[in-house]
Amino acid sequence: MTTPLPAPLHGVRVLEVGGMGPGPFAGMTLADMGAEVVRIDRPGGPGVFPGDPTQDLLNRGKRSVCLDLKRPAAVEIVLAMAAHADILIEGHRPAVAERLGIGPADCHARNPALVYGRMTGWGQDGPLANRAGHDVSYIALTGALHAIGDASGPPQIPLNIVGDFGGGATYLVMGVLAALWEAGRTGKGRTVDAAIIDGAAHLLSATHAMLNTGTWRDERGVNMLDGGAPYYAVYATADGEHMAVGAIESKFYRLLLAGLGLHDVDTALQDDRSTWPRTRERIAAAFRANTRAHWTEVFEPTDACVAPVMSLREAAEHPHLKARGTVVEHNGVLQAAPAPRFSGTPAAVGTAPVPLGADTRAVLAEWGIAEDLIASATASQPNSC
Protein backbone atom coordinates (compact mmCIF):
# COMPACT_ATOMS: atom_id res chain seq x y z
CA MET A 1 0.00 0.00 0.00
CA THR A 2 1.34 3.43 -0.95
CA THR A 3 1.65 5.87 1.92
CA PRO A 4 -0.42 9.02 1.22
CA LEU A 5 1.61 12.16 0.62
CA PRO A 6 1.10 15.18 2.87
CA ALA A 7 -1.02 17.96 1.38
CA PRO A 8 0.98 20.50 -0.68
CA LEU A 9 0.81 23.27 1.92
CA HIS A 10 1.67 21.04 4.87
CA GLY A 11 3.89 23.02 7.21
CA VAL A 12 2.74 26.43 5.94
CA ARG A 13 1.43 28.66 8.72
CA VAL A 14 -1.37 31.10 7.94
CA LEU A 15 -2.82 33.82 10.14
CA GLU A 16 -6.31 34.89 9.11
CA VAL A 17 -7.48 38.09 10.76
CA GLY A 18 -11.17 37.36 11.07
CA GLY A 19 -13.57 38.91 8.60
CA MET A 20 -16.40 37.68 6.46
CA GLY A 21 -16.97 36.24 2.99
CA PRO A 22 -13.95 36.09 0.70
CA GLY A 23 -11.26 36.26 3.41
CA PRO A 24 -12.58 33.24 5.31
CA PHE A 25 -13.13 31.37 2.03
CA ALA A 26 -9.50 31.99 1.11
CA GLY A 27 -8.41 30.76 4.53
CA MET A 28 -10.57 27.65 4.16
CA THR A 29 -9.05 26.95 0.75
CA LEU A 30 -5.52 27.23 2.13
CA ALA A 31 -6.49 24.92 4.99
CA ASP A 32 -7.97 22.46 2.48
CA MET A 33 -4.56 22.43 0.78
CA GLY A 34 -2.88 21.47 4.04
CA ALA A 35 -1.88 24.79 5.61
CA GLU A 36 -2.14 25.33 9.35
CA VAL A 37 -4.65 28.18 9.52
CA VAL A 38 -5.26 30.11 12.72
CA ARG A 39 -8.13 32.54 12.62
CA ILE A 40 -7.86 35.64 14.82
CA ASP A 41 -11.45 36.32 15.89
CA ARG A 42 -12.63 39.41 17.68
CA PRO A 43 -14.98 39.02 20.67
CA GLY A 44 -18.43 38.36 19.30
CA GLY A 45 -17.12 37.38 15.87
CA PRO A 46 -18.01 39.19 12.63
CA GLY A 47 -21.70 39.02 13.49
CA VAL A 48 -22.84 38.22 9.94
CA PHE A 49 -23.17 34.43 9.60
CA PRO A 50 -26.85 33.57 10.22
CA GLY A 51 -26.15 30.65 12.51
CA ASP A 52 -23.82 29.28 15.14
CA PRO A 53 -20.12 29.79 14.26
CA THR A 54 -19.66 26.02 14.40
CA GLN A 55 -21.94 25.78 11.34
CA ASP A 56 -19.91 28.19 9.24
CA LEU A 57 -18.16 25.92 6.74
CA LEU A 58 -15.78 28.69 5.72
CA ASN A 59 -14.06 28.08 9.06
CA ARG A 60 -13.49 24.36 8.61
CA GLY A 61 -9.93 23.17 9.04
CA LYS A 62 -9.00 26.19 11.17
CA ARG A 63 -8.36 26.92 14.80
CA SER A 64 -9.72 30.03 16.48
CA VAL A 65 -7.90 32.50 18.70
CA CYS A 66 -10.01 35.27 20.21
CA LEU A 67 -8.30 38.62 20.67
CA ASP A 68 -9.56 42.15 21.08
CA LEU A 69 -7.20 44.08 18.83
CA LYS A 70 -8.02 47.31 20.64
CA ARG A 71 -5.78 45.98 23.40
CA PRO A 72 -2.04 46.61 22.96
CA ALA A 73 -1.22 43.17 24.33
CA ALA A 74 -3.46 41.55 21.70
CA VAL A 75 -1.75 43.51 18.94
CA GLU A 76 1.63 42.40 20.27
CA ILE A 77 0.45 38.79 20.15
CA VAL A 78 -0.57 39.10 16.49
CA LEU A 79 2.82 40.62 15.65
CA ALA A 80 4.59 37.86 17.56
CA MET A 81 2.59 35.26 15.64
CA ALA A 82 3.31 37.02 12.36
CA ALA A 83 7.00 36.56 13.13
CA HIS A 84 6.44 32.79 12.88
CA ALA A 85 3.87 32.76 10.06
CA ASP A 86 4.31 32.34 6.33
CA ILE A 87 1.12 34.10 5.26
CA LEU A 88 -1.19 36.63 6.88
CA ILE A 89 -4.53 37.56 5.31
CA GLU A 90 -6.86 40.34 6.39
CA GLY A 91 -10.02 41.93 5.01
CA HIS A 92 -10.26 45.35 6.60
CA ARG A 93 -10.84 48.56 4.69
CA PRO A 94 -7.63 50.31 3.63
CA ALA A 95 -5.50 51.67 6.50
CA VAL A 96 -7.54 49.96 9.23
CA ALA A 97 -4.88 47.30 9.82
CA GLU A 98 -2.28 50.08 10.00
CA ARG A 99 -4.33 51.91 12.62
CA LEU A 100 -4.58 48.70 14.62
CA GLY A 101 -0.81 48.28 14.43
CA ILE A 102 -0.82 45.09 12.35
CA GLY A 103 -0.34 46.54 8.87
CA PRO A 104 2.22 45.25 6.36
CA ALA A 105 5.06 47.45 7.61
CA ASP A 106 4.42 46.41 11.23
CA CYS A 107 4.42 42.73 10.33
CA HIS A 108 7.34 42.86 7.90
CA ALA A 109 9.41 44.51 10.61
CA ARG A 110 9.00 41.26 12.56
CA ASN A 111 9.17 38.92 9.57
CA PRO A 112 10.58 40.20 6.24
CA ALA A 113 9.59 36.96 4.49
CA LEU A 114 5.93 37.18 5.47
CA VAL A 115 3.39 37.24 2.64
CA TYR A 116 0.73 39.78 3.59
CA GLY A 117 -2.57 39.29 1.75
CA ARG A 118 -5.16 42.08 1.71
CA MET A 119 -8.74 41.30 0.68
CA THR A 120 -11.02 44.20 -0.18
CA GLY A 121 -13.84 44.98 -2.56
CA TRP A 122 -12.54 48.19 -4.09
CA GLY A 123 -8.79 47.76 -3.58
CA GLN A 124 -6.24 49.66 -1.52
CA ASP A 125 -6.52 52.85 -3.58
CA GLY A 126 -8.86 54.66 -5.93
CA PRO A 127 -11.86 56.98 -5.35
CA LEU A 128 -14.01 54.20 -3.82
CA ALA A 129 -11.29 52.53 -1.75
CA ASN A 130 -12.84 53.50 1.59
CA ARG A 131 -16.45 53.06 0.53
CA ALA A 132 -18.59 50.22 1.88
CA GLY A 133 -19.77 47.61 -0.57
CA HIS A 134 -20.78 44.01 -1.10
CA ASP A 135 -20.43 41.48 -3.90
CA VAL A 136 -23.28 42.90 -5.95
CA SER A 137 -21.79 46.41 -5.71
CA TYR A 138 -18.47 45.27 -7.13
CA ILE A 139 -19.76 43.16 -9.99
CA ALA A 140 -22.15 45.98 -10.91
CA LEU A 141 -19.25 48.35 -11.61
CA THR A 142 -17.20 45.83 -13.57
CA GLY A 143 -19.95 45.12 -16.10
CA ALA A 144 -20.30 41.51 -15.00
CA LEU A 145 -23.74 42.05 -13.46
CA HIS A 146 -24.99 43.91 -16.53
CA ALA A 147 -24.12 40.92 -18.70
CA ILE A 148 -26.07 38.32 -16.71
CA GLY A 149 -29.78 37.80 -17.22
CA ASP A 150 -32.51 37.65 -19.83
CA ALA A 151 -32.68 40.31 -22.53
CA SER A 152 -36.17 41.31 -21.47
CA GLY A 153 -35.48 41.50 -17.74
CA PRO A 154 -33.16 43.07 -15.17
CA PRO A 155 -29.65 41.81 -14.42
CA GLN A 156 -29.68 38.62 -12.37
CA ILE A 157 -27.53 38.20 -9.26
CA PRO A 158 -25.25 35.12 -9.62
CA LEU A 159 -25.24 34.48 -5.86
CA ASN A 160 -21.97 35.93 -4.53
CA ILE A 161 -19.84 33.54 -6.56
CA VAL A 162 -18.57 35.92 -9.26
CA GLY A 163 -17.45 38.68 -6.88
CA ASP A 164 -16.71 37.50 -3.35
CA PHE A 165 -15.43 34.03 -4.14
CA GLY A 166 -14.46 34.04 -7.82
CA GLY A 167 -13.01 37.54 -8.22
CA GLY A 168 -12.04 37.92 -4.57
CA ALA A 169 -10.99 34.87 -2.56
CA THR A 170 -9.67 32.90 -5.52
CA TYR A 171 -7.38 35.74 -6.57
CA LEU A 172 -6.22 36.24 -2.99
CA VAL A 173 -5.23 32.57 -2.81
CA MET A 174 -3.42 32.77 -6.16
CA GLY A 175 -1.65 35.94 -5.09
CA VAL A 176 -0.40 34.75 -1.72
CA LEU A 177 0.78 31.42 -3.14
CA ALA A 178 2.70 33.18 -5.92
CA ALA A 179 4.28 35.51 -3.36
CA LEU A 180 5.02 32.57 -1.05
CA TRP A 181 6.94 30.86 -3.85
CA GLU A 182 8.96 34.03 -4.39
CA ALA A 183 9.59 34.48 -0.66
CA GLY A 184 10.97 30.96 -0.54
CA ARG A 185 13.58 31.93 -3.13
CA THR A 186 14.41 35.45 -2.00
CA GLY A 187 13.55 35.58 1.70
CA LYS A 188 11.42 38.67 1.01
CA GLY A 189 7.67 38.73 1.37
CA ARG A 190 5.22 40.83 -0.58
CA THR A 191 1.97 42.60 0.13
CA VAL A 192 -0.80 41.26 -2.09
CA ASP A 193 -3.64 43.67 -2.97
CA ALA A 194 -6.56 41.40 -3.91
CA ALA A 195 -9.57 43.51 -4.88
CA ILE A 196 -12.85 41.97 -5.93
CA ILE A 197 -13.32 44.54 -8.71
CA ASP A 198 -9.93 43.61 -10.17
CA GLY A 199 -10.59 39.87 -10.02
CA ALA A 200 -14.13 40.11 -11.37
CA ALA A 201 -12.91 42.27 -14.26
CA HIS A 202 -10.09 39.79 -14.90
CA LEU A 203 -12.64 36.97 -15.09
CA LEU A 204 -14.28 38.89 -17.95
CA SER A 205 -11.15 38.66 -20.12
CA ALA A 206 -12.72 36.30 -22.68
CA THR A 207 -15.83 38.45 -22.79
CA HIS A 208 -13.73 41.56 -23.40
CA ALA A 209 -11.98 39.71 -26.21
CA MET A 210 -15.29 38.96 -27.92
CA LEU A 211 -16.47 42.53 -27.31
CA ASN A 212 -13.34 43.84 -29.03
CA THR A 213 -13.88 41.63 -32.06
CA GLY A 214 -17.54 42.56 -32.43
CA THR A 215 -18.75 39.04 -31.67
CA TRP A 216 -20.20 40.16 -28.33
CA ARG A 217 -22.80 42.89 -28.13
CA ASP A 218 -22.69 44.95 -24.95
CA GLU A 219 -26.24 43.92 -24.19
CA ARG A 220 -27.75 41.31 -21.91
CA GLY A 221 -29.15 38.02 -23.16
CA VAL A 222 -28.33 38.38 -26.85
CA ASN A 223 -24.95 36.67 -27.09
CA MET A 224 -23.57 33.17 -27.44
CA LEU A 225 -22.79 32.57 -23.74
CA ASP A 226 -25.40 34.68 -21.96
CA GLY A 227 -28.51 32.75 -22.92
CA GLY A 228 -29.04 34.62 -26.17
CA ALA A 229 -28.12 31.69 -28.41
CA PRO A 230 -30.74 28.92 -28.53
CA TYR A 231 -28.00 26.29 -28.25
CA TYR A 232 -26.66 27.78 -24.98
CA ALA A 233 -29.66 28.34 -22.75
CA VAL A 234 -31.92 26.91 -20.08
CA TYR A 235 -35.29 25.40 -20.99
CA ALA A 236 -38.35 24.49 -18.92
CA THR A 237 -39.68 20.94 -18.95
CA ALA A 238 -43.20 19.59 -18.61
CA ASP A 239 -42.89 19.13 -14.85
CA GLY A 240 -41.71 22.67 -14.14
CA GLU A 241 -38.05 21.68 -13.94
CA HIS A 242 -35.28 22.77 -16.30
CA MET A 243 -32.58 21.47 -18.63
CA ALA A 244 -29.32 23.30 -19.34
CA VAL A 245 -28.11 23.26 -22.94
CA GLY A 246 -24.52 24.06 -23.93
CA ALA A 247 -24.29 22.65 -27.44
CA ILE A 248 -21.83 25.22 -28.82
CA GLU A 249 -19.90 23.08 -31.29
CA SER A 250 -21.74 22.02 -34.44
CA LYS A 251 -21.33 18.30 -33.70
CA PHE A 252 -22.93 18.79 -30.29
CA TYR A 253 -25.66 20.97 -31.79
CA ARG A 254 -26.58 18.17 -34.19
CA LEU A 255 -26.85 15.75 -31.26
CA LEU A 256 -29.08 18.22 -29.41
CA LEU A 257 -31.48 18.53 -32.34
CA ALA A 258 -31.48 14.79 -32.94
CA GLY A 259 -32.31 14.08 -29.31
CA LEU A 260 -35.21 16.54 -29.46
CA GLY A 261 -36.46 15.10 -32.74
CA LEU A 262 -35.92 18.39 -34.59
CA HIS A 263 -34.47 16.84 -37.72
CA ASP A 264 -35.60 19.62 -40.05
CA VAL A 265 -33.68 22.43 -38.33
CA ASP A 266 -30.87 23.57 -40.62
CA THR A 267 -27.65 23.11 -38.64
CA ALA A 268 -25.75 25.26 -41.13
CA LEU A 269 -27.65 28.26 -39.75
CA GLN A 270 -26.62 27.61 -36.15
CA ASP A 271 -24.93 31.01 -35.75
CA ASP A 272 -27.28 32.99 -37.96
CA ARG A 273 -28.78 35.30 -35.36
CA SER A 274 -31.83 35.97 -37.50
CA THR A 275 -32.84 32.33 -37.01
CA TRP A 276 -32.34 32.27 -33.24
CA PRO A 277 -35.85 33.36 -32.15
CA ARG A 278 -37.61 30.69 -34.21
CA THR A 279 -35.08 27.99 -33.29
CA ARG A 280 -35.45 28.86 -29.62
CA GLU A 281 -39.23 28.51 -29.85
CA ARG A 282 -38.92 25.07 -31.37
CA ILE A 283 -36.35 23.85 -28.86
CA ALA A 284 -38.42 25.25 -25.99
CA ALA A 285 -41.57 23.54 -27.26
CA ALA A 286 -39.74 20.24 -27.54
CA PHE A 287 -38.43 20.40 -23.96
CA ARG A 288 -41.86 21.41 -22.64
CA ALA A 289 -43.34 18.25 -24.13
CA ASN A 290 -41.71 15.99 -21.58
CA THR A 291 -40.23 15.84 -18.08
CA ARG A 292 -36.74 16.56 -16.83
CA ALA A 293 -36.28 12.87 -16.04
CA HIS A 294 -37.17 11.96 -19.60
CA TRP A 295 -34.75 14.41 -21.17
CA THR A 296 -32.03 13.41 -18.72
CA GLU A 297 -32.39 9.82 -19.86
CA VAL A 298 -32.35 10.86 -23.52
CA PHE A 299 -29.23 13.00 -23.33
CA GLU A 300 -27.16 11.35 -20.60
CA PRO A 301 -25.54 8.84 -23.01
CA THR A 302 -24.71 11.56 -25.57
CA ASP A 303 -22.22 14.40 -26.02
CA ALA A 304 -24.95 16.97 -26.66
CA CYS A 305 -23.85 18.91 -23.57
CA VAL A 306 -27.34 18.81 -22.07
CA ALA A 307 -27.74 18.42 -18.31
CA PRO A 308 -30.57 18.59 -15.79
CA VAL A 309 -30.66 21.70 -13.61
CA MET A 310 -30.44 20.28 -10.11
CA SER A 311 -31.01 21.80 -6.70
CA LEU A 312 -28.17 21.89 -4.19
CA ARG A 313 -29.46 18.83 -2.35
CA GLU A 314 -30.22 16.97 -5.56
CA ALA A 315 -26.70 17.65 -6.83
CA ALA A 316 -25.21 15.96 -3.78
CA GLU A 317 -26.98 12.74 -4.82
CA HIS A 318 -25.95 12.79 -8.48
CA PRO A 319 -24.02 9.61 -9.34
CA HIS A 320 -21.05 11.47 -10.81
CA LEU A 321 -20.66 13.82 -7.84
CA LYS A 322 -21.10 10.92 -5.45
CA ALA A 323 -18.50 8.83 -7.30
CA ARG A 324 -15.93 11.61 -7.07
CA GLY A 325 -16.96 12.68 -3.58
CA THR A 326 -17.43 16.22 -4.88
CA VAL A 327 -20.15 17.03 -2.37
CA VAL A 328 -20.04 15.04 0.84
CA GLU A 329 -21.71 14.78 4.19
CA HIS A 330 -19.04 15.21 6.83
CA ASN A 331 -19.90 15.18 10.52
CA GLY A 332 -23.54 15.26 9.44
CA VAL A 333 -23.06 18.46 7.40
CA LEU A 334 -23.44 18.73 3.63
CA GLN A 335 -20.43 20.46 2.06
CA ALA A 336 -18.10 20.51 -0.92
CA ALA A 337 -14.90 18.50 -0.73
CA PRO A 338 -11.58 20.33 -1.13
CA ALA A 339 -10.64 21.42 -4.64
CA PRO A 340 -8.47 21.10 -6.62
CA ARG A 341 -7.11 17.63 -5.98
CA PHE A 342 -3.48 16.56 -5.77
CA SER A 343 -2.05 13.18 -6.72
CA GLY A 344 -1.01 11.09 -3.76
CA THR A 345 -3.11 13.05 -1.25
CA PRO A 346 -6.73 12.10 -0.53
CA ALA A 347 -9.17 15.01 -0.79
CA ALA A 348 -10.16 14.99 2.87
CA VAL A 349 -12.47 17.55 4.49
CA GLY A 350 -10.77 19.35 7.36
CA THR A 351 -11.87 19.55 10.96
CA ALA A 352 -15.28 20.98 11.69
CA PRO A 353 -15.58 24.70 12.50
CA VAL A 354 -14.90 25.37 16.17
CA PRO A 355 -16.49 27.88 18.57
CA LEU A 356 -14.94 31.34 18.57
CA GLY A 357 -11.81 31.36 20.70
CA ALA A 358 -11.89 27.63 21.29
CA ASP A 359 -8.15 27.30 20.76
CA THR A 360 -6.88 30.60 22.16
CA ARG A 361 -4.59 29.37 24.92
CA ALA A 362 -3.51 26.16 23.20
CA VAL A 363 -2.50 27.89 19.96
CA LEU A 364 -0.75 30.80 21.65
CA ALA A 365 1.24 28.42 23.81
CA GLU A 366 2.22 26.37 20.72
CA TRP A 367 3.33 29.51 18.93
CA GLY A 368 5.60 30.44 21.84
CA ILE A 369 3.65 33.44 23.15
CA ALA A 370 4.68 34.36 26.71
CA GLU A 371 2.14 33.47 29.35
CA ASP A 372 2.10 36.96 30.87
CA LEU A 373 1.29 38.45 27.44
CA ILE A 374 -1.51 35.93 26.94
CA ALA A 375 -2.92 36.80 30.36
CA SER A 376 -2.77 40.50 29.63
CA ALA A 377 -4.48 40.14 26.26
CA THR A 378 -7.24 37.83 27.46
CA ALA A 379 -7.96 39.27 30.92
CA SER A 380 -11.70 39.57 31.54
CA GLN A 381 -12.32 38.06 28.09
CA PRO A 382 -14.62 35.02 28.07
CA ASN A 383 -13.00 31.88 26.71
CA SER A 384 -15.88 31.58 24.23
CA CYS A 385 -15.34 35.14 22.96
Side-chain angles (χ1 to χ4, degrees), residues 18-358:
M20 61 182 185
F25 185 82
M28 181 201 79
T29 302
L30 294 170
D32 285 347
M33 294 180 181
E36 176 190 349
V37 180
V38 173
R39 179 175 164 90
I40 306 297
D41 283 304
R42 64 174 182 262
V48 175
F49 183 71
D52 187 276
T54 59
Q55 298 173 305
D56 188 351
L57 292 176
L58 301 189
N59 288 332
R60 75 182 184 194
K62 306 174 187 177
R63 293 194 289 174
S64 173
V65 168
C66 188
L67 294 171
D68 181 357
L69 295 181
K70 295 179 182 178
R71 295 186 178 191
V75 171
E76 178 57 32
I77 285 177
V78 172
L79 294 175
M81 296 180 76
H84 300 287
D86 300 292
I87 298 170
L88 183 150
I89 58 178
E90 60 93 8
H92 294 101
R93 294 195 202 186
V96 170
E98 283 84 350
R99 289 199 296 271
L100 290 171
I102 57 169
D106 304 299
C107 292
H108 284 140
R110 302 292 184 97
N111 181 1
L114 179 72
V115 172
Y116 194 106
R118 316 197 78 166
M119 181 77 262
T120 61
W122 303 115
Q124 296 298 314
D125 52 41
L128 297 178
N130 287 294
R131 186 80 56 83
H134 278 298
D135 176 287
V136 71
S137 316
Y138 313 129
I139 65 173
L141 261 63
T142 62
L145 184 60
H146 173 270
I148 301 172
D150 188 78
S152 61
Q156 296 297 304
I157 299 173
L159 304 183
N160 63 334
I161 296 172
V162 173
D164 280 351
F165 300 137
T170 303
Y171 280 81
L172 177 61
V173 171
M174 286 193 292
V176 298
L177 292 182
L180 182 66
W181 184 82
E182 181 189 41
R185 292 183 300 117
T186 66
K188 295 182 179 180
R190 293 226 193 181
T191 299
V192 178
D193 175 6
I196 294 172
I197 55 162
D198 296 345
H202 194 256
L203 289 171
L204 288 167
S205 294
T207 309
H208 286 141
M210 290 185 284
L211 183 67
N212 294 332
T213 61
T215 53
W216 186 279
R217 287 159 52 185
D218 202 6
E219 303 173 40
R220 185 168 49 257
V222 298
N223 299 289
M224 181 177 69
L225 298 176
D226 62 1
Y231 53 80
Y232 200 91
V234 175
Y235 292 96
T237 55
D239 52 353
E241 300 292 344
H242 295 85
M243 297 294 291
V245 173
I248 297 175
E249 293 87 344
S250 59
K251 60 183 178 181
F252 301 151
Y253 185 53
R254 289 193 293 271
L255 291 173
L256 165 68
L257 297 176
L260 293 172
L262 300 176
H263 302 290
D264 59 338
V265 173
D266 189 349
T267 57
L269 300 177
Q270 178 179 355
D271 289 310
D272 182 342
R273 290 175 183 251
S274 68
T275 69
W276 284 5
R278 175 57 181 157
T279 303
R280 178 184 295 278
E281 289 175 4
R282 297 199 61 193
I283 293 176
F287 274 117
R288 283 197 303 269
N290 225 312
T291 64
R292 186 185 71 174
H294 169 81
W295 294 120
T296 300
E297 184 176 356
V298 167
F299 286 108
E300 188 172 25
T302 79
D303 278 341
C305 302
V306 177
V309 177
M310 312 194 82
S311 73
L312 294 172
R313 294 194 182 279
E314 283 180 319
E317 297 302 318
H318 189 276
H320 185 76
L321 273 68
K322 286 183 73 71
R324 285 184 57 82
T326 300
V327 179
V328 298
E329 187 172 295
H330 186 67
N331 293 328
V333 178
L334 189 69
Q335 56 194 289
R341 305 182 185 195
F342 301 92
S343 61
T345 303
V349 174
T351 56
V354 299
L356 299 181

Side-chain angles (χ1 to χ4, degrees), residues 365-376:
E366 288 175 22
W367 284 53
I369 307 301
E371 179 58 38
D372 59 340
L373 190 58
I374 297 175
S376 178

